[in-house]
Amino acid sequence: MGVNISAPYIYVCTRMRMRKAKLLPREEYQRMLNMSVSEITRIIGETEYKQEIDELGTIFKGIDLIEVALSWNLAKEYQKIQEITPGNLKQFTQVYLRRWDIQNVLTILRGKMQGEKPGKIKEILIPAGSLDKVILDRMLSEESSDRIIEMLKTHRMYPVLAREYPAAKESGSFSHMENELYKHLYANIIADAKAGVKGGASFLAYIQLEIDIKNVKTLFRLREDDLEEDARDMFIPGGSLSLLNFTSLNNIKDLNEFIDMIRANIRNGTLHSLLDELKGNKSAHDIEARLTRVQLEQMEKMSKRNPFSIHPILVYLEKKKYEVFNLRAIARGKESRLPADKIMKYLVI
Amino acid sequence: MAAELVVATTDLAMIQAQQAGMKAIGAGLAVGLTGIGTGVAEMGIGAAAVGAIAENKDFFGLGLLFTVIPETIVIFGLVVGLLLLFL
């Protein structure tokens, strides 16, 4: 593994560890589960989200305030990390964060298609990738979706957008295009990691783990939903599974046999122990949350093995993302008056 | 006889001069190499300390303290150098 002991690497990795230590602990979530939305807002306002809550407090109220403040904070945090990471780490971080571009572009296209107002779409954008607030604002002000696609001509996702968008527009569903965009993203990330840049091996190891977990999640989801869609469309190449294995796994009806086959195909100790536990029947969502926990646990292990590599940065990026997701889940759950134990199931702690 | 005495004295002076030179080189190496060692050790600690301070100002005192701990290495080198030169 590429371990780089140089001062800038040590500096940035320490900063990431410090930031990770500032993330909300488990007890804080448990306390929040017994609070109302306004109390949660107050608690969040005393932590790292203070600036956003103060800034947006006059414009938004209640659940909207939490939602927008969380998104703004996440975007600010990610932009800041891109600023402070040095050399190759910056390149890897930027490549990794490009997934937010896909999410933002798809949100804008979907919003435009459904005739939402630009202001409403803007509330849910997270400008954490290479497309910053200014570009996203320009895209939002465009009336025609074709013009939005044209604006992305220099972006790496343009070839896929240009190829898939006409069909997506005709059918009114962006799901196939979304799958293709993510496949293209992962192919690009793998190509960048394999380009021979120092530290690429550690990055590749993480990306392969992520693809594996994503594919396993998809397989569980497909089992649960009995979807008629072509499973091959949802497969992301680049991990331990091949397309052939993926489709054959999808055709196995018996849960125990299915789990044994996954075990045989993916070598990962933490995942294996989870799969052993899963041999009893569980709901699909619970399995997903647990798979995410396995992924984070594995990332944590990797970051300890390579303390001055891309891993500590990626661990922080992921943990921060899940903190925002958790807070959003708690706030939304409280707003919908869900019981605490039900909200707890959705949290990734 | 006298010529032999002159040669022996010249040899002795040369040897003494060489010894003094060797001592000086030894002292230089002691300070120089330990200086490099200290620098290498402080690089990592200093970088981590600055990273920690950037996130939390309270770490300033502790960070500074840890950063200068490898200074002891160069102080040992300096002591060895001084001993070589003056003893």
Side-chain angles (χ1 to χ4, degrees):
Chain A
M1 293 270 162
V3 178
N4 298 276
I5 312 279
S6 72
Y9 277 52
I10 297 173
Y11 166 77
V12 78
C13 290
T14 312
R15 284 193 77 165
M16 291 305 118
R17 284 206 183 82
M18 291 288 293
R19 282 178 184 225
K20 197 173 76 175
K22 282 188 203 163
L23 293 176
L24 295 172
R26 189 188 179 88
E27 302 81 53
E28 201 70 37
Y29 291 122
Q30 276 163 343
R31 267 179 59 204
M32 281 183 198
L33 284 172
N34 302 319
M35 291 176 184
S36 66
V37 173
S38 57
E39 281 175 315
I40 294 173
T41 315
R42 188 176 54 79
I43 292 280
I44 293 176
E46 287 167 7
T47 58
E48 298 298 308
Y49 303 90
K50 186 178 186 315
Q51 198 190 336
E52 285 76 20
I53 295 277
D54 289 350
E55 267 178 38
L56 297 164
T58 50
I59 312 168
F60 298 100
K61 286 275 169 289
I63 186 83
D64 289 340
L65 174 61
I66 296 187
E67 287 261 358
V68 181
L70 291 175
S71 305
W72 277 38
N73 183 274
L74 188 67
K76 186 187 81 178
E77 198 73 4
Y78 281 8
Q79 297 292 351
K80 178 80 188 160
I81 290 166
Q82 288 186 53
E83 268 173 39
I84 61 171
T85 42
N88 298 339
L89 293 185
K90 190 197 249 356
Q91 188 197 330
F92 291 145
T93 315
Q94 283 172 342
V95 170
Y96 177 77
L97 289 176
R98 217 175 281 150
R99 65 194 59 203
W100 293 96
D101 291 343
I102 298 182
Q103 189 179 316
N104 289 335
V105 169
L106 284 172
T107 309
I108 293 177
L109 290 175
R110 281 187 173 130
K112 291 273 171 199
M113 187 172 241
Q114 286 166 9
E116 284 285 347
K117 284 184 194 137
K120 201 78 193 150
I121 305 172
K122 197 181 171 183
E123 279 174 26
I124 47 172
L125 294 181
I126 303 177
S130 61
L131 302 173
D132 59 17
K133 271 184 192 166
V134 183
I135 303 175
L136 290 174
D137 276 346
R138 272 176 40 212
M139 284 166 73
L140 277 171
S141 61
E142 280 294 341
E143 282 302 317
S144 117
S145 307
D146 296 304
R147 288 276 304 143
I148 294 174
I149 309 271
E150 280 298 303
M151 282 174 77
L152 294 164
K153 214 157 196 171
T154 49
H155 199 279
R156 273 171 100 164
M157 67 170 134
Y158 181 74
V160 184
L161 270 178
R163 191 181 70 219
E164 299 292 335
Y165 183 68
K169 195 179 173 187
E170 200 141 297
S171 64
S173 157
F174 288 115
S175 63
H176 178 70
M177 185 167 87
E178 189 171 0
N179 288 337
E180 289 300 312
L181 281 170
Y182 279 108
K183 275 185 208 173
H184 179 250
L185 172 83
Y186 280 111
N188 267 336
I189 293 179
I190 290 175
D192 280 0
K194 282 184 176 168
V197 182
K198 204 175 172 189
S202 338
F203 189 45
L204 186 65
Y206 165 68
I207 291 301
Q208 282 174 337
L209 168 76
E210 190 183 309
I211 294 176
D212 280 347
I213 298 282
K214 252 195 165 48
N215 281 333
V216 173
K217 272 185 192 169
T218 313
L219 281 168
F220 272 106
R221 221 179 269 181
L222 285 167
R223 281 183 73 77
E224 199 72 15
D225 292 346
D226 289 330
L227 279 177
E228 292 300 312
E229 275 183 73
D230 192 1
R232 277 176 299 180
D233 200 28
M234 296 172 198
F235 170 74
I236 299 170
S240 316
L241 286 175
S242 68
L243 180 59
L244 203 65
N245 289 336
F246 186 83
T247 40
S248 63
L249 272 164
N250 190 38
N251 292 329
I252 298 173
K253 292 279 171 266
D254 180 52
L255 180 69
N256 288 353
E257 196 188 331
F258 170 72
I259 286 175
D260 285 338
M261 280 298 282
I262 296 181
R263 275 187 66 118
N265 281 302
I266 300 174
R267 268 178 289 156
N268 180 330
T270 335
L271 182 66
H272 285 183
S273 49
L274 170 70
L275 288 173
D276 285 340
E277 281 177 42
L278 287 180
K279 283 196 172 172
N281 228 337
K282 291 250 178 189
S283 75
H285 188 269
D286 193 23
I287 293 172
E288 272 194 35
R290 293 180 69 173
L291 280 168
T292 312
R293 269 175 234 148
V294 165
Q295 185 186 346
L296 288 177
E297 207 176 303
Q298 193 67 28
M299 284 175 76
E300 196 80 56
K301 276 186 193 162
M302 286 164 121
S303 83
K304 280 176 184 147
R305 223 175 292 148
N306 306 306
F308 305 117
S309 65
I310 186 77
H311 289 157
I313 301 173
L314 293 176
V315 170
Y316 175 68
L317 293 177
E318 282 293 296
K319 288 212 162 181
K320 177 76 190 174
K321 184 177 85 182
Y322 284 112
E323 180 183 271
V324 167
F325 283 5
N326 288 343
L327 290 173
R328 192 173 288 164
I330 293 176
R332 278 266 164 230
K334 283 280 150 194
E335 180 80 0
S336 323
R337 296 178 198 287
L338 285 177
D341 56 330
K342 193 151 192 187
I343 302 173
M344 195 68 187
K345 275 190 192 163
Y346 285 86
L347 305 184
V348 180
I349 306 175
Chain B
M1 183 74 179
E4 277 174 16
L5 194 69
V6 170
V7 170
T9 320
T10 324
D11 280 353
L12 192 69
M14 252 174 68
I15 289 165
Q16 277 174 342
Q18 274 177 354
Q19 278 177 343
M22 283 299 183
K23 269 186 181 176
I25 290 172
L29 283 175
V31 178
L33 292 177
T34 48
I36 293 172
T38 301
V40 172
E42 281 183 358
M43 179 192 75
I45 305 172
V50 173
I53 295 163
E55 290 299 324
N56 185 354
K57 301 272 180 295
D58 298 343
F59 275 95
F60 181 76
L62 207 59
L64 191 69
L65 179 73
F66 282 134
T67 309
V68 297
I69 281 176
E71 286 293 326
T72 47
I73 307 171
V74 78
I75 294 170
F76 290 144
L78 188 70
V79 170
V80 169
L82 291 174
L83 286 176
L84 280 173
L85 289 180
F86 298 111
L87 281 185

